[in-house]
Amino acid sequence: MDAFDPRHNGNGKLNVASNTTAHPDAAESSISDYLQGLILESKDIEEFLNGLASHAALILSNDDDQVLCGITLLRDRKAATVASSSDHARQMDEIQYSFGDGPCMTAARDQLTIEIPDLDAELRWPEYAAAVRQYGICSVLAVPFDLEDDAKAALNLYSATPERFDAEAVEAAKSYTEQVNKVLRLGLRLARLVETAAHLRSALESRTIIDLAVGIIMAQNRCSQETAVEILKSASNGRNLKLRDIADTLVRSISREATHTHFD
């Protein structure tokens, strides 16, 4: 797939904000079309989100400065970088998580745009600022995505240039997140469906093994199903093993072949 070709103005800065103002439908369509294609071509959600982070870094960089980009996702009150434009970008986000808070987590959690023009002068997160500064980062911008559900996320931009994210750069980043929101919501929704299907499949496979183990106990002890289940649970508790694991051990003692759940 060809990368989206950003248009620059005369001073080398990206024209995302001005293009969106002049031709909002065309600008949004171009980015949305690219990312929809990325969803179709990506093998999983992780690949899509890494592609999104790389795309954002490309769009929001200029000829004089290449920004780093990460995406912070908050689900179940936990933070994780689900994507990054590079290993360096991922490392910058993970430094923040080690302190338990920072500009990107705040942007995602509180749905606020957070600007740090110069990390040397940052007073809100001094320890975080000092740690990130050691890696050559001078300025940070975090812009929230509007996901309209329990999940919250933010686009994290890092630059080695102080004062890198001026008013025009902030507007460009906000414009980008607004254009990406719908596609990102779709990507996360698809990921949840895949996760749900995987959990269901795992649950059915566990149920198969447990049912087989219960049948073996019933045959060996000539007892009822209820009694067999209690015997299996007692063995699980006594050995401090999961019910599925104790069931699997019993089934394997009868048959060396791996147990399969048939979904046809």
Side-chain angles (χ1 to χ4, degrees), residues 31 51 75 123 129 165 193 197 211:
I31 293 178
R75 284 197 293 183
L123 300 177
F165 303 107
L193 291 174
D211 286 344

Side-chain angles (χ1 to χ4, degrees), residues 74 79 92-110 124-129:
L74 299 178
M92 294 306 95
D93 279 346
E94 290 178 347
I95 287 174
Q96 177 178 189
Y97 304 150
S98 69
F99 288 104
D101 198 9
C104 307
M105 293 178 67
T106 299
R109 182 182 62 243
D110 298 338
R124 290 168 292 183
W125 304 282
E127 294 181 350
Y128 159 79

Side-chain angles (χ1 to χ4, degrees), residues 4 17 64 67 79 81 88 92 99 108 135 161 167 208 249:
F4 180 80
D64 300 322
V67 300
T81 298
H88 194 187
M92 294 306 95
F99 288 104
Y135 289 86
T161 303
T208 296
T249 299

Side-chain angles (χ1 to χ4, degrees), residues 64 82 97 111 119 136 145 151 155 165 181 186 214:
D64 300 322
V82 296
Y97 304 150
Q111 294 290 281
L119 281 164
F145 289 103
L155 183 72
F165 303 107
N181 275 330
L186 175 60
V214 168

Side-chain angles (χ1 to χ4, degrees), residues 12 20 28 36 61 78 146 160 162-164 201 218 237:
T20 302
E28 182 170 356
Q36 287 171 16
S61 293
K78 296 180 181 179
D146 181 12
E163 309 287 343
R164 164 63 175 82
R201 186 181 186 91
M218 290 174 65
N237 294 332

Side-chain angles (χ1 to χ4, degrees), residues 13 62 65 67 115-122 133 137-141 158-170:
K13 291 186 177 181
N62 61 37
D65 181 68
V67 300
E115 304 172 48
I116 302 182
D118 188 345
L119 281 164
D120 287 337
E122 175 56 39
R133 190 70 186 83
I137 299 300
C138 294
S139 55
V140 179
L141 174 64
Y158 303 90
S159 174
T161 303
E163 309 287 343
R164 164 63 175 82
F165 303 107
D166 57 13
E168 182 181 357
V170 172

Side-chain angles (χ1 to χ4, degrees), residues 231-252:
I231 292 173
L232 192 63
K233 287 182 178 179
S234 178
S236 172
N237 294 332
R239 299 184 186 183
N240 195 27
L241 294 173
K242 292 182 179 179
L243 191 63
R244 185 192 190 283
D245 292 339
I246 201 73
D248 186 56
T249 299
L250 176 57
V251 172
R252 287 180 180 274

